[in-house]
Every structure is written in C-alpha cells, then in structure tokens.
Amino acid sequence: MILKASLSDYLGYYKDRRLITIFMLGISSGFPWVLIGSVMSAWLKDEGLSRSMIGLFGIVFGAYTINFLWSPLLDRVKLPFLTTQLGQRRSWIALCQVITALATIAMSYIVIKDNLFSAALLCFLIAAASATHDIAIDAYRIDILPENESEKATAAAAMATSGWWTGYALLGAIPFFLADSPYFDWPKIYLLLGIIMGSLVLVTLFAKEPSSQRDHVHKQLELAYQARLGNSQSVFNRVFAWFAVTLVEPFRSFFTKNGVKTALALLLFIFLFKIGESFLARMSIVFYKEIGFSNTQIGQYSKLGTGVITIIFAFLGSIFNHKYGIVKGLFISGIAMAASNLMFSWIAIAGPQEHLYAMAVVIDGFTQAWSLVAMVAFISMLCDRAFSATHYALLASLGSLGRTVMSSYSGVVIDDWLHGNWAIFFAITALMVLPSLLLLYIIRNKLFQIESSYHASKK
C-alpha cells in the first residue's frame, strides 16, 4: 500500500514526544542482549571455553522465544503498589529493569570459569526479566499511539529499532573498549553495565502511561463468558471467566481476526525470516576474535559502526516502508541479509582486512534496520489493542525462536559439522534466508490486504 503523506509531514512525526519515549525504551530493550550475548561470549572466549560451549550458553535466550506464554499476565495482572503509582505498562517495565540491573551487578562478583552454572542462572534471570519487559515495552509502543494515528506506525517502529540498536551496539561498544584497558577486567565491566541498566529505570519513571480501554473490554468479555455458563455470581464462573479472557481470548482473537490459514502462514514466515542472520550473529564475536580482530576493532566496527549505520538506515527504511509498504521492504532486506552473510565468507577467506570488515558492517547495518522496521510495524498492525502485550509477544517470540534456541547450536555446526570452516558456515547462513522469501512471495497478497485494511479502518 502507498501512503500519501508528504516527506515533510512524515518527518514531522518525529517531533512527537511519545516517539522519543519509544526510542529511550528501545535502548532499555536492546541493552540486555549485550549483557548475555556479545559481551558474555567475549568473556567466555577469553576464559578459554570452546566454541560449542559458548554457543550452548546462548540457550538462556530461550526466554525470548517462550515469553508469549506469560504475556497474557502483563495485560491482566496488576502489580501491588507499582501499578497504582506507574500504571499497567510502566510498572512491569520498571520491575524488570530493576531485576536485570541487580542480576548484572551480581555477575560482577562471579569467578566465571569456576562458576559456570551460577553465571548461566544469572544470564537466564537477565533473559527472563528482559524478555518480560520487552513484552511491556512493545505493548506500550502500540498503546501510546491512538488508533487514528496509524500513519505513525513506521515512525514508531524506526524509533524502536534505532533505540534498540543504540542500547545494543552503541552502549554495547563500551565494554569492548574497556576490555583492552589495563584498568578493567570483565567483572568490573559488568559492574559498570549493571549501573547503566539501573539508570534506565529513570526513563520509565518519567514516561507517560498510555490511556486504554483495555480493562473495560476485558470486563465485558468476562461477563459474556459468565453469561454462557449461567449463574454469573458463582465464584467458579468468575474465576473461569477471568482465566478464559486472560489465557484463551487473546489467541482466539488473533486467529479469528486473521483466519487460521493466514495466521499460520504469518507465524511461519516470522519464524523463518531471521534464522540465517541469527546463526551468524551468535558466532560473530567468536569469528572476529579467531580471525584476528582486537576487542577495540570489534567495538569500533561491530558495535559503534553497526549501531550508527543501523540507526541511519532505520529512518531511511521507515520512509520507504511508509510510502511503499512492507512487502517490498521485506524482500529488499531479505536479499541484503544473504549478501551480508556472504561478506563474512569473504572475510573468512581473505583474513582480517579492515576495509572488508567496514563493508560488511554497512551491509549488515542496512539489513538489520530495513528488516526490523518493516517487521516491527507490521507485527504492531496485527495486534488487537485489548491484548496488545499477548499478540505482539506471540509473534515476536517466533522470530526470537530462530535467533535464540536454534542459533545456540551454531557452535556445534562450525565445530563438529564444518570443522572450523567459517567460509562455508556463512554461505550456509545466506541460503537460510531463501525459504522465508519464497513464503513471503506466496502470501504477499494477504499481506497487502492486511496492511490496506488496517490503514483504511483507522481513517
């Protein structure tokens, strides 16, 4: 679908203070991936752990793949005291930010080589808290924009994407620069990272809680369930109705709204789209170190360079997706994803040449930004505002499944199957993009219909 808003009108959306809040919350969402991802991989590598062990450590990211299981609670459960003070969305965000910060600080007191199990537990706690606060942040982004402002969806997606990458890449560069300093070791770095995470709570405290009719809708649905059962005053009926609305209604609503076939096709596409990229990302830090790049170079290129490039392309990609729709945007990003992975094969063959590293960073940044903006905006459109936390978590967790659980075996693939042949490994990850692009082509008409009906219904 092509929208008629002029470029100046579209750029004017970014003056909205709500989008600034979305950007800042995006930082909070991206930063924990540093804590249990690239920085943890670098620490484990410096401690002499095998590639297979480092890859398996990524299983803690599994929390992101199953967070939809408890996402209905974030739509319904009110936290004592915090909800009264902050509201439904901000209370969950703040609680999880505090847990993440405390677990990160605790990590700084561990001798990791002697306490791998304790380190894994803390990483899992960070992942679980972060995955939960991602549910609330995504729901916040959807709820904060009224339905009659759907034209701002891609701008909000761009701010969320650029914020995520600011937390993941720009802030994530700090530990790699410090790691080469004689005054810092990894435990001290984790103490600093915990303090940074704790400071992000201030963003939540000063944000505005979205207004919502969610409680009213839930109450009406509960009454409808009670009426079907008869004797609406029965304690059993009231409890059953609460659980039905909390656990059943969000999923029934999603499949009813989109149709079973379309819903399943959407879920499969989201699952497949990022698998190849996730295999690359899980082993990228290990590859950089083995090929001969220093921690400082990794910080400069993979963190700062990728972060800046991604943020720039996030805004350019949002303009494209706003004007021409997400289908073309996703096709472009899928092709770029394969090209990006092949660039790493080139580096594996040529060796640690900085100009090739820089080229890979530019292509990878473009890929990340273009695909994320399109995907975030589209998933947001699929969500029913009465169940925004549950619907977004259901869809996003499928995308995380490939990035986390399956990519945890990337070390096994490179070690046991390919015997350390990085060039072939990255070529295989490039081919992993093709099934999702084929499925995208098959369901393209359905995607156009969903996007068109969304914008038409909000005018």
Side-chain angles (χ1 to χ4, degrees), residues 370-405:
W370 209 276
S371 61
L372 280 172
V373 169
M375 188 64 73
V376 168
F378 183 67
I379 291 177
S380 299
M381 292 178 189
L382 297 177
C383 297
D384 185 331
R385 287 173 182 265
F387 306 103
S388 52
T390 307
H391 283 179
Y392 196 95
L394 171 65
L395 298 170
S397 64
L398 277 175
S400 297
L401 183 59
R403 294 201 306 269
T404 55
V405 174

Side-chain angles (χ1 to χ4, degrees), residues 4 71 84 88 122 209 216 247 250 293 303 327 408 445:
K4 297 181 179 179
S71 59
T84 302
Q88 183 77 1
L122 286 173
E209 178 71 9
H216 174 73
L247 303 177
F293 292 113
K303 296 301 180 182
V327 178
S408 295
N445 292 329

Side-chain angles (χ1 to χ4, degrees), residues 20-279:
I20 302 299
T21 299
I22 290 171
F23 172 82
M24 295 302 297
L25 290 176
I27 294 176
S28 179
S29 185
F31 191 61
W33 285 70
V34 176
L35 308 177
I36 55 178
S38 56
V39 176
M40 180 55 61
S41 294
W43 189 0
L44 294 174
K45 180 65 179 176
D46 287 349
E47 292 291 337
L49 273 73
S50 68
R51 289 174 294 203
S52 296
M53 177 60 71
I54 295 172
L56 290 173
F57 223 78
I59 290 176
V60 298
F61 279 98
Y64 291 93
T65 71
I66 60 173
N67 65 354
F68 71 92
L69 295 176
W70 62 86
S71 59
L73 299 179
L74 276 73
D75 277 328
R76 303 297 314 277
V77 175
K78 292 175 169 48
L79 298 173
F81 179 73
L82 287 178
T83 301
T84 302
Q85 298 299 315
L86 300 176
Q88 183 77 1
R89 298 307 186 203
R90 291 192 300 150
S91 61
W92 279 99
I93 295 171
L95 175 64
C96 294
Q97 286 173 326
V98 171
I99 293 174
T100 302
L102 292 177
T104 304
I105 292 172
M107 191 80 73
S108 68
Y109 292 95
I110 287 181
V111 180
I112 197 166
K113 196 169 185 179
D114 299 330
N115 298 277
L116 284 176
F117 181 73
S118 297
L121 282 180
L122 286 173
C123 283
F124 179 76
L125 180 59
I126 292 172
S130 173
T132 303
H133 108 313
D134 281 3
I135 298 170
I137 287 174
D138 290 327
Y140 180 96
R141 185 188 67 254
I142 295 168
D143 293 350
I144 199 66
L145 294 175
E147 293 184 350
N148 60 0
E149 295 186 69
S150 65
E151 71 279 0
K152 294 183 179 179
T154 53
M159 292 297 271
T161 300
S162 58
W164 195 95
W165 274 92
T166 298
Y168 177 73
L170 301 190
L171 290 182
I174 294 174
F176 287 96
F177 289 124
L178 295 179
D180 283 342
S181 168
Y183 304 105
F184 280 88
D185 56 15
W186 288 114
K188 289 181 180 178
I189 289 172
Y190 264 85
L191 178 60
L192 175 61
L193 297 179
I195 293 172
I196 293 174
M197 186 67 212
S199 67
L200 293 172
V201 178
L202 295 174
V203 176
T204 306
L205 296 180
F206 287 102
K208 178 183 177 182
E209 178 71 9
S211 58
S212 175
Q213 298 297 316
R214 183 173 51 255
D215 289 343
H216 174 73
V217 173
H218 292 167
K219 183 61 177 178
Q220 295 302 311
L221 288 170
E222 284 185 26
L223 292 174
Y225 272 101
Q226 292 175 32
R228 292 173 199 167
L229 293 170
N231 189 14
S232 61
Q233 300 304 312
S234 165
V235 173
F236 170 80
N237 285 0
R238 292 201 300 270
V239 171
F240 177 85
W242 189 91
F243 276 102
V245 173
T246 301
L247 303 177
V248 177
E249 192 63 26
F251 300 98
R252 190 196 67 80
S253 171
F254 176 75
F255 282 92
T256 300
K257 178 181 177 181
N258 298 294
V260 174
K261 290 184 179 179
T262 299
L264 291 175
L266 290 170
L267 296 177
L268 182 59
F269 167 72
I270 293 169
F271 169 74
L272 291 173
F273 190 60
K274 293 250 180 193
I275 287 181
E277 182 184 74
S278 65
F279 265 74

